[in-house]
Amino acid sequence: MPSPRRLALVALAVLVAGVVIWRALPGRPASVTSGPAATVRAPATAPKAAFVDVTSDAGLSSFVRVSGAEGEKLLPETTGGGGALVDVDNDGDLDVVLVNGRPWPWSRAAGKPPASTVSLYVNDGRGRFTDGTAAAGLAVQRYGMGVAAGDFDDDGWTDLYITAVGQNVLLENVGGRFHDITAQAGVGGRADQWSTCATWFDADQDGDLDLFVCNYVRWTREIDKAQDFSLAGIGRAYGPPRSFAGVAPLFFVNQGNGRFVERAEAAGLVMRDPVTKTPAAKSLGVALAHLNDDRCVDLVVANDTVRNYAFRSRCDGTFEEAGTTLGVAYDGYGNARSGMGIDIADVRDDGAPAVAVGNFANEMTAFFVRQASGQFVDEAIAAGIGAPSRAYLTFGVLFFDYDLDGRLDLLAINGHVEDQITIVQPSQQHAQPAALYWNAGPEAPATFVPVADTGGLATPMVGRGGAYGDIDGDGDLDLLLVPATGSVRLLRNDAPQSRWIRLRLVGTASGHDAVGTVVEVTSGDVTRRRLVTPTHGYLSQSDPVLTFALPDSASPPSVTVRWPRGAVQTLSGLATNQTTTITEAQ
């Protein structure tokens, strides 16, 4: 039963807004954001972002994402899709992998599916791409959602796992050509599932990559249409997930011989409703972290309308769920929000991880920061992102350094789920600009300052997934943005030149991808820490090579690498403005 305070806040929100919020319509209680309505204004001025839309010139304009929508307003149509910036041909530059939807089997367009719902664009090393889908042997037919990239067989070639509505697909990379080995590997899941985010990591410390796969809700066309979601003035609408049943995740443990065993329940990764005992998760985002500073990789999962999860590793392939204890499960009032994309990083360079979670419109983006006690507190308002983020419906969130000043900034990729939302809520638009927040540093009143001049980021889109990486070898981080439907966008970053190093980690005992490795770079009196993982944001994978900007006047940096299997390496005198490969010492 809601408390009187909760009811009063709901009533006040409705009176002040004067609009009908989609998530407060039948099938979903009204949403109230935590904390006060305003935040401290930082006097610092954010530097402009030098992003230029090069989608057409780069050769990516031929890709158009298809949702299959024909007016039935089926939930999967508004939740995809993802992409990756990943080197699939081992030539040292980043290629583009994009995951498409397709017409529904009952659609009038069902007889015209795309040749493949996974597309590959190969980089020439200068940021120009050619369609290499057919040459790479890609002929995947799925209603695709996202992608997870990882070298599961430790042969030095990055493999791809594609999540979908229906069975998922594992594509083994053999010398730059892909082979569907889903059946023999045993990682397809069920035909009646809907998988979203996924990540590769070594859960049991045996040196090979295991696979964690989130599922969203129990969904069929019939279940969706039976909910009869509607909006006044619009009619049939995309409904919230609250009325759909939750689904357990999948956890595939690598056996080291090309086969996997599913062990989500045994590993402690299945959370159940305390009353019905059915799976409770409705997961859209996952990120890797070291929550308690040991060598073992933990999982934080963003859930939609149910609490977020934090799975602390026991270092043996099993986990303890501690989201509520740690403080990342709910907002400040104890309410579950509409968690979508998620990212985790040490944004204040103090060793305390921060967790960003994208949420629904009027549910501000979460910014959970670990305190000295070990618990996390949502500091979104004080950090400067709480109030402005309410205006957007945020899917993807990414921590990355857009201006190469050394500090990690925050990108929110936005877009509403309902294409006619302005009819019932004039303050909301279907297509929305991405929001960029500059990290102003430890001396500023607020950690983040909204960037007013975002260049090519300012163009609205129905944003979902996104990835960052250096596509042209100039050291700064470029952006790939993926919509729910329509054209992708590739944004080249023309940030002013500065000193930087980029570090590519290659594991031996810890596995080729070195996922879970912590790298510390000390330059001057500042030490910055990064975790090696490509999994960031929503349904997508970013460049696993780590970028560190360096002060102009500082001495050469010192680098400490803490490998997952326990080895520690220290390097100094690294050349700046180039990529250095660090291989785990035997």
Side-chain angles (χ1 to χ4, degrees):
M1 178 69 68
S3 67
R5 183 180 182 185
R6 166 75 170 156
L7 293 174
L9 285 169
V10 170
L12 178 61
V14 172
L15 288 172
V16 172
V19 293
V20 177
I21 301 172
W22 176 80
R23 295 251 164 163
L25 292 167
R28 187 183 190 99
S31 173
V32 177
T33 56
S34 60
T39 187
V40 176
R41 291 184 179 274
T45 300
K48 70 177 183 179
F51 289 106
V52 178
D53 192 328
V54 295
T55 309
S56 180
D57 291 343
L60 295 183
S61 58
S62 61
F63 181 89
V64 177
R65 194 171 196 285
V66 174
S67 70
E70 292 183 346
E72 289 190 311
K73 298 292 184 75
L74 303 175
L75 194 53
E77 297 167 356
T78 195
T79 50
L85 290 172
V86 58
D87 183 5
V88 301
D89 51 9
N90 276 358
D91 63 355
D93 54 42
L94 292 173
D95 309 302
V96 173
V97 176
L98 295 167
V99 181
N100 213 333
R102 66 174 181 179
W104 295 111
W106 53 83
S107 165
R108 54 180 175 268
K112 303 176 182 179
S116 176
T117 50
V118 179
S119 295
L120 169 64
Y121 291 85
V122 180
N123 195 341
D124 67 357
R126 297 168 298 180
R128 295 182 180 273
F129 300 81
T130 56
D131 190 338
T133 307
L138 291 169
V140 179
Q141 288 297 324
R142 293 290 193 281
Y143 191 101
M145 295 298 295
V147 56
D151 182 9
F152 80 87
D153 51 5
D154 219 32
D155 65 353
W157 294 84
T158 300
D159 311 297
L160 301 174
Y161 187 77
I162 308 301
T163 61
V165 179
Q167 284 194 314
N168 304 321
V169 183
L170 176 59
L171 300 168
E172 182 184 21
N173 188 346
V174 181
R177 284 185 60 85
F178 290 93
H179 302 266
D180 185 344
I181 62 164
T182 309
Q184 54 265 47
V187 294
R190 303 186 311 275
D192 64 347
Q193 75 189 6
W194 173 2
S195 296
T196 52
C197 53
T199 188
W200 296 94
F201 73 113
D202 184 3
D204 48 11
Q205 296 284 291
D206 64 353
D208 55 32
L209 292 177
D210 309 299
L211 178 63
F212 179 79
V213 184
C214 290
N215 290 319
Y216 188 26
V217 294
R218 189 164 64 86
W219 181 89
T220 65
R221 180 192 187 196
E222 291 71 28
I223 292 173
D224 200 328
K225 294 183 72 173
Q227 306 303 321
D228 195 26
F229 298 109
S230 63
L231 290 174
I234 294 178
R236 173 73 179 173
Y238 291 109
R242 192 175 297 276
S243 297
F244 294 86
V247 183
L250 301 168
F251 177 49
F252 297 107
V253 179
N254 195 334
Q255 303 300 290
N257 59 0
R259 297 180 181 275
F260 294 76
V261 176
E262 204 288 309
R263 290 180 177 162
E265 189 84 60
L269 294 168
V270 179
M271 297 295 101
R272 298 185 179 277
D273 184 283
V275 177
T276 66
K277 308 303 180 183
T278 57
K282 300 178 182 181
S283 305
L284 288 175
V286 62
L288 304 179
H290 289 300
L291 295 175
N292 49 4
D293 294 325
D294 60 15
R295 292 186 289 105
C296 305
V297 177
D298 309 305
L299 296 167
V300 183
V301 177
N303 285 308
D304 191 357
T305 71
V306 298
R307 65 184 177 90
N308 300 324
Y309 301 143
F311 293 107
R312 289 192 297 204
S313 174
R314 296 190 177 99
C315 302
D316 60 358
T318 66
F319 299 82
E320 171 196 21
E321 203 290 302
T324 302
T325 300
L326 290 176
V328 300
Y330 302 102
D331 70 10
Y333 290 119
N335 301 309
R337 288 182 285 196
S338 306
M340 290 175 273
I342 182 172
D343 203 6
I344 302 176
D346 178 7
V347 301
R348 291 173 175 162
D349 299 318
D350 59 0
V355 182
V357 181
N359 291 306
F360 206 78
N362 204 47
E363 293 179 338
M364 62 187 178
T365 294
F367 182 65
F368 299 104
V369 182
R370 192 178 69 185
Q371 311 298 302
S373 65
Q375 291 185 308
F376 288 73
V377 173
D378 191 349
E379 299 182 7
I381 291 177
I385 62 175
S389 69
R390 285 172 166 169
Y392 303 110
L393 196 164
T394 300
F395 276 83
V397 286
L398 297 171
F399 288 121
F400 78 118
D401 184 4
Y402 81 88
D403 59 341
L404 287 184
D405 66 354
R407 299 185 297 269
L408 291 176
D409 312 299
L410 176 63
L411 175 71
I413 304 169
N414 307 314
H416 211 282
V417 298
E418 180 56 56
D419 55 1
Q420 300 182 75
I421 188 62
T422 54
I423 295 176
V424 294
Q425 192 173 353
S427 63
Q428 286 291 314
Q429 303 291 327
H430 189 213
Q432 300 178 356
L436 184 62
Y437 302 90
W438 176 60
N439 189 333
E443 303 303 320
T447 302
F448 293 104
V449 177
V451 180
D453 187 349
T454 59
L457 275 173
T459 303
M461 68 181 297
V462 188
R464 296 295 182 261
Y468 60 79
D470 182 8
I471 64 169
D472 49 10
D474 63 355
D476 55 29
L477 296 174
D478 311 294
L479 291 172
L480 174 72
L481 304 182
V482 185
T485 182
S487 300
V488 299
R489 297 177 63 201
L490 185 67
L491 300 173
R492 188 187 67 222
N493 191 351
D494 291 340
Q497 290 298 308
S498 64
R499 294 175 72 235
W500 48 268
I501 58 172
R502 282 172 50 78
L503 304 177
R504 177 181 289 110
L505 282 297
V506 178
T508 52
S510 298
H512 182 271
D513 285 1
V515 172
T517 300
V518 175
V519 178
E520 300 174 349
V521 173
T522 299
S523 183
D525 59 354
V526 177
T527 296
R528 294 191 162 98
R529 302 162 186 83
R530 305 283 189 271
L531 178 70
V532 177
T533 170
T535 305
H536 305 273
Y538 181 71
L539 305 178
S540 301
Q541 304 274 278
S542 290
D543 184 4
V545 176
L546 302 178
T547 299
F548 293 86
L550 306 172
D552 290 337
S553 59
S555 57
S558 171
V559 177
T560 300
V561 181
R562 304 184 187 279
W563 299 92
R565 300 299 294 277
V568 178
Q569 289 174 248
T570 301
L571 305 92
S572 59
L574 298 184
T576 60
N577 289 35
Q578 69 178 45
T579 299
T580 299
T581 298
I582 301 175
T583 301
E584 184 179 13
Q586 297 278 354

